[in-house]
Amino acid sequence: MKKRLQKIISESGLTSRRKAETLIIGGRVTVNGETATLGDSADFETDVICVDGKPICRPAQKTYIMLNKPRGYVTTLSDEKGRRCVSELVSDAGVRLYPVGRLDMYSEGLLIMTDDGEFANRLMHPSSETEKTYHVWLDGKCSERSLEILRSPMTIDGYRISPARVEILHENENYTKLSVTIHEGRNRQIRKMCQAAGVKLSRLKRISEGPLRLGTLETGHWRYLSSEELQDIFENEI
């Protein structure tokens, strides 16, 4: 799988990613005998990557999984209140994995977990503006005024969020099901948006994040991210 060259070098343990970029700019890195340039990608499995003429070591193997988080679990590795944690659901992965971002205790759906700290930090950084789509269930019908508020820019906890993309998926007298796509992912953002719009949220489920889709993954189960999914993430630098 191709990755940015500076990431491969940093994962090999030779130096930091920033210093790897300096090595590339200085012309000290080659791929298959050709001098590399900043922005190049390579595949450690098929390419010969050298720094100052010496092949780099194999990068440490990282683990990337997708969990369909159930309601009732907190997004932490342990909890002082004795609540169930998402770490319990992925204990059979064989490595210590950390959640990328959060879903509150009463929310469910797609949660990425990994032991790659750099990957997690990049995905969570506000500058990534990674699109996240949720299915949102509301009690009763959602008025046009409430939809207008949900689709408008608003301030949450002193932070001005971008307009959300909101579509009605199903509606009857008892409930409304919406698709809501946001970029920021602030703490309990959609719950606070619903509160501002004067609607009562009864269920919240994240179904996608960037190029990743929850699909048919069963609640409480997890799977490894495919090489194609990882390729999409690393190529788009989300």
Side-chain angles (χ1 to χ4, degrees):
M1 181 183 69
K2 284 185 176 293
K3 294 184 183 180
R4 291 296 175 91
L5 199 50
Q6 59 267 36
K7 181 171 179 60
I8 296 176
I9 295 172
S10 67
E11 287 181 350
S12 74
L14 181 65
T15 187
S16 69
R17 184 167 180 170
R18 180 166 294 182
K19 290 182 179 179
E21 292 176 349
T22 302
L23 292 173
I24 296 169
I25 293 171
R28 297 169 60 185
V29 179
T30 61
V31 178
N32 301 326
E34 299 291 333
T35 301
T37 58
L38 194 62
D40 286 352
S41 296
D43 186 336
F44 189 86
E45 300 297 327
T46 58
D47 296 318
V48 178
I49 303 164
C50 297
V51 174
D52 294 333
K54 297 180 180 179
I56 64 171
C57 297
R58 175 177 290 275
Q61 186 67 38
K62 300 293 183 180
T63 301
Y64 310 87
I65 72 168
M66 177 192 298
L67 169 69
N68 187 347
K69 175 193 170 299
R71 284 181 285 185
Y73 284 78
V74 291
T75 312
T76 56
L77 300 187
S78 61
D79 184 70
E80 69 281 358
K81 297 180 180 179
R83 295 173 295 183
R84 292 177 296 181
C85 305
V86 293
S87 57
E88 300 170 27
L89 300 170
V90 299
S91 59
D92 54 341
V95 291
R96 188 176 177 85
L97 300 173
Y98 299 85
V100 180
R102 289 183 179 273
L103 283 173
D104 67 53
M105 182 173 178
Y106 301 105
S107 297
E108 58 189 291
L110 191 158
L111 181 67
I112 302 167
M113 299 187 70
T114 184
D115 54 1
D116 185 340
E118 184 180 350
F119 169 86
N121 290 335
R122 187 171 74 249
L123 208 59
M124 290 188 293
H125 195 278
S127 64
S128 70
E129 294 190 347
T130 305
E131 275 198 350
K132 304 172 185 70
T133 298
Y134 298 77
H135 283 172
V136 180
W137 285 260
L138 308 175
D139 288 351
K141 283 193 172 184
C142 187
S143 68
E144 286 298 324
R145 177 56 182 157
S146 293
L147 283 173
E148 182 182 343
I149 294 173
L150 288 172
R151 290 168 174 154
S152 301
M154 64 176 73
T155 300
I156 291 180
D157 298 334
Y159 182 87
R160 190 72 168 172
I161 64 170
S162 302
R165 189 165 67 249
V166 181
E167 302 173 7
I168 297 177
L169 299 178
H170 183 80
E171 185 179 42
N172 59 33
E173 293 297 329
N174 298 315
Y175 76 96
T176 303
K177 182 180 179 181
L178 304 176
S179 171
V180 179
T181 300
I182 60 175
H183 295 85
E184 297 88 354
R186 311 291 295 183
N187 181 41
R188 298 173 66 86
Q189 179 173 330
I190 291 183
R191 294 186 184 276
K192 293 174 182 177
M193 289 169 58
C194 289
Q195 185 177 16
V199 293
K200 185 177 179 182
L201 186 152
S202 60
R203 185 181 175 191
L204 179 62
K205 182 177 185 178
R206 183 158 63 202
I207 62 164
S208 71
E209 184 169 359
L212 305 178
R213 302 291 181 268
L214 186 62
T216 59
L217 183 63
E218 294 183 18
T219 301
H221 290 239
W222 64 269
R223 66 170 177 82
Y224 292 106
L225 297 187
S226 69
S227 57
E228 291 79 9
E229 288 171 327
L230 287 171
Q231 188 73 54
D232 283 341
I233 292 172
F234 288 119
E235 282 184 350
N236 288 284
E237 288 291 319
I238 69 170

mmCIF file of all heavy atoms in Angstrom, residues 1-14 41-44 49 56-59:
data_model
loop_
_atom_site.group_PDB
_atom_site.id
_atom_site.type_symbol
_atom_site.label_atom_id
_atom_site.label_comp_id
_atom_site.label_asym_id
_atom_site.label_seq_id
_atom_site.Cartn_x
_atom_site.Cartn_y
_atom_site.Cartn_z
ATOM 1 N N MET A 1 0.835 -1.187 0.000
ATOM 2 C CA MET A 1 0.000 0.000 0.000
ATOM 3 C C MET A 1 0.878 1.248 0.000
ATOM 4 O O MET A 1 1.806 1.365 0.786
ATOM 5 C CB MET A 1 -0.894 0.015 1.243
ATOM 6 C CG MET A 1 -1.819 1.200 1.304
ATOM 7 S SD MET A 1 -2.782 1.213 2.828
ATOM 8 C CE MET A 1 -1.485 1.570 4.008
ATOM 9 N N LYS A 2 0.592 2.151 -0.907
ATOM 10 C CA LYS A 2 1.375 3.377 -1.011
ATOM 11 C C LYS A 2 1.038 4.334 0.128
ATOM 12 O O LYS A 2 -0.116 4.481 0.519
ATOM 13 C CB LYS A 2 1.133 4.070 -2.350
ATOM 14 C CG LYS A 2 1.850 3.404 -3.527
ATOM 15 C CD LYS A 2 1.666 4.214 -4.786
ATOM 16 C CE LYS A 2 2.453 3.626 -5.961
ATOM 17 N NZ LYS A 2 3.915 3.742 -5.745
ATOM 18 N N LYS A 3 2.075 4.981 0.663
ATOM 19 C CA LYS A 3 1.929 6.030 1.665
ATOM 20 C C LYS A 3 2.898 7.146 1.321
ATOM 21 O O LYS A 3 3.865 6.938 0.565
ATOM 22 C CB LYS A 3 2.267 5.504 3.071
ATOM 23 C CG LYS A 3 1.338 4.460 3.628
ATOM 24 C CD LYS A 3 1.764 4.118 5.057
ATOM 25 C CE LYS A 3 0.918 3.016 5.655
ATOM 26 N NZ LYS A 3 1.345 2.700 7.043
ATOM 27 N N ARG A 4 2.665 8.305 1.891
ATOM 28 C CA ARG A 4 3.618 9.390 1.728
ATOM 29 C C ARG A 4 4.984 8.941 2.250
ATOM 30 O O ARG A 4 5.084 8.296 3.291
ATOM 31 C CB ARG A 4 3.152 10.636 2.464
ATOM 32 C CG ARG A 4 1.913 11.296 1.852
ATOM 33 C CD ARG A 4 2.198 11.823 0.450
ATOM 34 N NE ARG A 4 1.019 12.351 -0.187
ATOM 35 C CZ ARG A 4 0.623 13.618 -0.130
ATOM 36 N NH1 ARG A 4 1.339 14.488 0.587
ATOM 37 N NH2 ARG A 4 -0.455 14.016 -0.767
ATOM 38 N N LEU A 5 6.012 9.321 1.506
ATOM 39 C CA LEU A 5 7.367 8.849 1.801
ATOM 40 C C LEU A 5 7.822 9.240 3.199
ATOM 41 O O LEU A 5 8.448 8.442 3.918
ATOM 42 C CB LEU A 5 8.316 9.411 0.743
ATOM 43 C CG LEU A 5 9.665 8.742 0.541
ATOM 44 C CD1 LEU A 5 9.513 7.239 0.384
ATOM 45 C CD2 LEU A 5 10.357 9.340 -0.681
ATOM 46 N N GLN A 6 7.520 10.471 3.617
ATOM 47 C CA GLN A 6 7.960 10.904 4.946
ATOM 48 C C GLN A 6 7.292 10.097 6.057
ATOM 49 O O GLN A 6 7.885 9.871 7.115
ATOM 50 C CB GLN A 6 7.695 12.402 5.151
ATOM 51 C CG GLN A 6 6.254 12.846 5.015
ATOM 52 C CD GLN A 6 5.945 13.306 3.596
ATOM 53 O OE1 GLN A 6 6.462 12.744 2.633
ATOM 54 N NE2 GLN A 6 5.117 14.347 3.481
ATOM 55 N N LYS A 7 6.080 9.606 5.796
ATOM 56 C CA LYS A 7 5.396 8.779 6.798
ATOM 57 C C LYS A 7 6.074 7.418 6.904
ATOM 58 O O LYS A 7 6.268 6.897 8.007
ATOM 59 C CB LYS A 7 3.922 8.619 6.436
ATOM 60 C CG LYS A 7 3.153 7.779 7.452
ATOM 61 C CD LYS A 7 1.668 7.805 7.204
ATOM 62 C CE LYS A 7 0.921 6.936 8.212
ATOM 63 N NZ LYS A 7 1.126 7.381 9.606
ATOM 64 N N ILE A 8 6.438 6.838 5.764
ATOM 65 C CA ILE A 8 7.123 5.545 5.781
ATOM 66 C C ILE A 8 8.443 5.647 6.540
ATOM 67 O O ILE A 8 8.779 4.783 7.360
ATOM 68 C CB ILE A 8 7.379 5.039 4.343
ATOM 69 C CG1 ILE A 8 6.049 4.767 3.630
ATOM 70 C CG2 ILE A 8 8.241 3.778 4.365
ATOM 71 C CD1 ILE A 8 6.212 4.351 2.187
ATOM 72 N N ILE A 9 9.183 6.728 6.286
ATOM 73 C CA ILE A 9 10.481 6.900 6.944
ATOM 74 C C ILE A 9 10.301 7.062 8.449
ATOM 75 O O ILE A 9 11.037 6.461 9.245
ATOM 76 C CB ILE A 9 11.231 8.106 6.346
ATOM 77 C CG1 ILE A 9 11.582 7.828 4.875
ATOM 78 C CG2 ILE A 9 12.501 8.413 7.147
ATOM 79 C CD1 ILE A 9 12.154 9.027 4.137
ATOM 80 N N SER A 10 9.305 7.851 8.860
ATOM 81 C CA SER A 10 9.084 8.051 10.297
ATOM 82 C C SER A 10 8.618 6.758 10.954
ATOM 83 O O SER A 10 9.013 6.454 12.094
ATOM 84 C CB SER A 10 8.075 9.173 10.540
ATOM 85 O OG SER A 10 6.781 8.823 10.086
ATOM 86 N N GLU A 11 7.802 5.977 10.263
ATOM 87 C CA GLU A 11 7.324 4.706 10.825
ATOM 88 C C GLU A 11 8.443 3.681 10.940
ATOM 89 O O GLU A 11 8.356 2.747 11.746
ATOM 90 C CB GLU A 11 6.196 4.143 9.960
ATOM 91 C CG GLU A 11 4.884 4.901 10.103
ATOM 92 C CD GLU A 11 3.782 4.313 9.254
ATOM 93 O OE1 GLU A 11 4.070 3.433 8.415
ATOM 94 O OE2 GLU A 11 2.623 4.734 9.421
ATOM 95 N N SER A 12 9.489 3.850 10.154
ATOM 96 C CA SER A 12 10.617 2.919 10.238
ATOM 97 C C SER A 12 11.437 3.137 11.509
ATOM 98 O O SER A 12 12.275 2.309 11.870
ATOM 99 C CB SER A 12 11.529 3.085 9.022
ATOM 100 O OG SER A 12 12.298 4.284 9.117
ATOM 101 N N GLY A 13 11.193 4.275 12.179
ATOM 102 C CA GLY A 13 11.924 4.583 13.393
ATOM 103 C C GLY A 13 13.207 5.349 13.159
ATOM 104 O O GLY A 13 13.936 5.655 14.107
ATOM 105 N N LEU A 14 13.496 5.703 11.907
ATOM 106 C CA LEU A 14 14.746 6.387 11.593
ATOM 107 C C LEU A 14 14.756 7.808 12.129
ATOM 108 O O LEU A 14 15.746 8.272 12.709
ATOM 109 C CB LEU A 14 14.969 6.399 10.077
ATOM 110 C CG LEU A 14 16.255 7.074 9.582
ATOM 111 C CD1 LEU A 14 17.477 6.298 10.082
ATOM 112 C CD2 LEU A 14 16.257 7.151 8.055
ATOM 113 N N SER A 41 4.940 9.315 -3.027
ATOM 114 C CA SER A 41 4.456 8.171 -2.254
ATOM 115 C C SER A 41 5.222 6.930 -2.676
ATOM 116 O O SER A 41 5.807 6.884 -3.765
ATOM 117 C CB SER A 41 2.953 7.961 -2.482
ATOM 118 O OG SER A 41 2.221 9.067 -2.009
ATOM 119 N N ALA A 42 5.217 5.930 -1.803
ATOM 120 C CA ALA A 42 5.909 4.685 -2.121
ATOM 121 C C ALA A 42 5.227 3.545 -1.368
ATOM 122 O O ALA A 42 4.405 3.767 -0.480
ATOM 123 C CB ALA A 42 7.384 4.773 -1.732
ATOM 124 N N ASP A 43 5.573 2.334 -1.751
ATOM 125 C CA ASP A 43 5.060 1.136 -1.102
ATOM 126 C C ASP A 43 6.254 0.345 -0.598
ATOM 127 O O ASP A 43 7.073 -0.119 -1.397
ATOM 128 C CB ASP A 43 4.247 0.308 -2.100
ATOM 129 C CG ASP A 43 3.556 -0.892 -1.457
ATOM 130 O OD1 ASP A 43 4.027 -1.346 -0.402
ATOM 131 O OD2 ASP A 43 2.565 -1.370 -2.014
ATOM 132 N N PHE A 44 6.369 0.209 0.709
ATOM 133 C CA PHE A 44 7.536 -0.456 1.267
ATOM 134 C C PHE A 44 7.665 -1.899 0.778
ATOM 135 O O PHE A 44 8.761 -2.433 0.683
ATOM 136 C CB PHE A 44 7.477 -0.431 2.799
ATOM 137 C CG PHE A 44 8.738 -0.897 3.457
ATOM 138 C CD1 PHE A 44 9.780 -0.014 3.698
ATOM 139 C CD2 PHE A 44 8.911 -2.222 3.809
ATOM 140 C CE1 PHE A 44 10.957 -0.449 4.278
ATOM 141 C CE2 PHE A 44 10.081 -2.672 4.394
ATOM 142 C CZ PHE A 44 11.108 -1.780 4.628
ATOM 143 N N ILE A 49 13.538 1.810 -0.665
ATOM 144 C CA ILE A 49 13.629 3.179 -0.153
ATOM 145 C C ILE A 49 14.932 3.308 0.631
ATOM 146 O O ILE A 49 15.183 2.545 1.578
ATOM 147 C CB ILE A 49 12.428 3.500 0.756
ATOM 148 C CG1 ILE A 49 11.110 3.276 -0.011
ATOM 149 C CG2 ILE A 49 12.514 4.932 1.279
ATOM 150 C CD1 ILE A 49 9.896 3.197 0.886
ATOM 151 N N ILE A 56 16.036 1.653 4.381
ATOM 152 C CA ILE A 56 15.435 1.855 5.697
ATOM 153 C C ILE A 56 14.865 0.536 6.216
ATOM 154 O O ILE A 56 14.609 -0.400 5.449
ATOM 155 C CB ILE A 56 14.332 2.930 5.662
ATOM 156 C CG1 ILE A 56 13.154 2.486 4.782
ATOM 157 C CG2 ILE A 56 14.891 4.260 5.194
ATOM 158 C CD1 ILE A 56 11.957 3.412 4.880
ATOM 159 N N CYS A 57 14.662 0.462 7.528
ATOM 160 C CA CYS A 57 14.095 -0.735 8.142
ATOM 161 C C CYS A 57 12.592 -0.803 7.879
ATOM 162 O O CYS A 57 11.952 0.200 7.576
ATOM 163 C CB CYS A 57 14.343 -0.717 9.655
ATOM 164 S SG CYS A 57 16.084 -0.745 10.113
ATOM 165 N N ARG A 58 12.063 -1.991 8.017
ATOM 166 C CA ARG A 58 10.628 -2.184 7.820
ATOM 167 C C ARG A 58 9.851 -1.365 8.847
ATOM 168 O O ARG A 58 10.125 -1.433 10.045
ATOM 169 C CB ARG A 58 10.270 -3.668 7.970
ATOM 170 C CG ARG A 58 8.776 -3.968 7.911
ATOM 171 C CD ARG A 58 8.513 -5.443 7.982
ATOM 172 N NE ARG A 58 8.958 -6.099 6.757
ATOM 173 C CZ ARG A 58 8.221 -6.184 5.652
ATOM 174 N NH1 ARG A 58 7.006 -5.649 5.628
ATOM 175 N NH2 ARG A 58 8.685 -6.792 4.586
ATOM 176 N N PRO A 59 8.847 -0.598 8.406
ATOM 177 C CA PRO A 59 8.036 0.177 9.348
ATOM 178 C C PRO A 59 7.296 -0.751 10.315
ATOM 179 O O PRO A 59 6.942 -1.877 9.967
ATOM 180 C CB PRO A 59 7.039 0.910 8.437
ATOM 181 C CG PRO A 59 7.674 0.910 7.084
ATOM 182 C CD PRO A 59 8.472 -0.357 7.010
#
